[in-house]
Amino acid sequence: MSFQLSRRSLLAVVASSILSACTQVPKPGLEPNAADKTSKDVITPPEKAPIELERKDEPPPKLDYAQIYGPVKDEGYDVPGVQFDAIKPEFLRQEVAYATNEPAYSIVVDTQKMFLYWVLPGGKAIRYGVGLGAQGRAWKGRAVVHWKRKWPRWTVPDDMVARQPHLKKYGIEAGGMDPGLSNPLGARAMYIFQDGQDTLYRIHGSPQWRSIGKNASAGCVRMLQQDAIDLYNRVRGKTPLLVI
């Protein structure tokens, strides 16, 4: 028996392919958290995990964090500056010595130390501090950054709406939550796929800078908005990703 999809049904199917179950709209006074959905396919990481080394060479130049984390005009949005001096220094962007067999220009997320590494040639990496929710802490394995978006929409899948009816206004039928400064996915989102399938795992900016370096009740990998923009600009094509 043959049939044709209605336009509404077709849009729903398309929308479902770009859902993010990573974050949820916060109730007043709460920061955005995430759905409690995790990837079904968990891969055991390699036995020898990458390690950060004490630098033996010249220390990297001191960075101007006031400029790095200052206000940014981006794609028509005014991203506010970050109170970087209220964040532990180790969670601020910096270059570090890093021993790994992972290829240059790949990403490693260390869920224990709450660091994301952008691997550089020559045994170095750019290290960013991240915030992790339950999904981000639970998911381990290899994948790729399949695609990425500037100022993404956040669309709540139907099963999440069923659990949290107040999110219906951001569901598939409603077209999701508009991009903006209060959108939980922030200024950038990088979408993680494994074996061609969406893991529902995201690396994304967050308007909640105080969550960096901390655990949340749920969620994926949150970055400072300025760091998410910086990483987004480095990622090209299907970037390899290892989560340990």
Side-chain angles (χ1 to χ4, degrees):
M1 181 174 63
S2 63
F3 64 95
Q4 289 185 330
L5 289 173
S6 68
R7 185 173 183 272
R8 170 177 282 188
S9 298
L10 180 59
L11 289 175
V13 171
V14 173
S16 67
S17 69
I18 57 174
L19 297 180
S20 171
C22 236
T23 50
Q24 69 186 37
V25 175
K27 296 179 181 179
L30 298 178
E31 66 177 67
N33 286 324
D36 55 1
K37 190 170 184 179
T38 58
S39 172
K40 295 180 180 178
D41 299 316
V42 178
I43 298 179
T44 303
E47 293 182 6
K48 293 185 178 180
I51 58 171
E52 188 175 333
L53 304 175
E54 182 180 351
R55 293 192 72 108
K56 302 294 185 183
D57 57 354
E58 295 243 348
K62 190 172 181 180
L63 299 176
D64 184 356
Y65 288 125
Q67 180 178 7
I68 289 173
Y69 294 119
V72 177
K73 286 189 176 293
D74 180 80
E75 304 288 324
Y77 296 95
D78 292 320
V79 180
V82 173
Q83 288 182 246
F84 63 90
D85 53 355
I87 299 173
K88 289 183 179 180
E90 59 264 35
F91 295 119
L92 300 178
R93 188 192 318 168
Q94 54 198 282
E95 183 182 295
V96 297
Y98 195 58
T100 180
N101 291 325
E102 300 305 303
Y105 314 119
S106 65
I107 296 171
V108 177
V109 177
D110 188 325
T111 60
Q112 296 299 312
K113 296 181 179 178
M114 294 197 177
F115 293 142
L116 182 151
Y117 297 91
W118 173 251
V119 181
L120 298 172
K124 298 179 181 180
I126 296 175
R127 190 183 76 192
Y128 306 87
V130 299
L132 292 170
Q135 184 184 22
R137 296 193 303 274
W139 196 94
K140 307 290 189 297
R142 291 187 178 277
V144 296
V145 176
H146 189 77
W147 47 281
K148 57 183 186 174
R149 287 290 182 271
K150 295 181 178 180
W151 295 100
R153 297 186 70 83
W154 178 59
T155 307
V156 183
D158 290 340
D159 59 346
M160 187 173 175
V161 171
R163 295 192 305 271
Q164 301 178 67
H166 67 282
L167 297 179
K168 184 176 181 179
K169 60 183 177 180
Y170 302 121
I172 296 173
E173 292 292 325
M177 185 180 189
D178 290 337
L181 296 175
S182 61
N183 187 303
L185 288 181
R188 300 289 188 275
M190 285 152 271
Y191 298 76
I192 309 307
F193 279 58
Q194 189 178 70
D195 298 326
Q197 300 296 317
D198 187 357
T199 64
L200 301 181
Y201 187 89
R202 312 285 185 249
I203 300 170
H204 63 89
S206 174
Q208 302 294 330
W209 60 266
R210 293 183 186 275
S211 67
I212 302 305
K214 299 178 181 178
N215 286 321
S217 61
C220 288
V221 179
R222 305 173 181 176
M223 304 181 73
L224 296 170
Q225 298 276 51
Q226 289 83 349
D227 284 347
I229 293 171
D230 183 78
L231 179 63
Y232 179 100
N233 291 337
R234 298 176 189 276
V235 169
R236 297 286 185 274
K238 295 183 179 179
T239 297
L241 169 75
L242 172 65
V243 180
I244 59 176

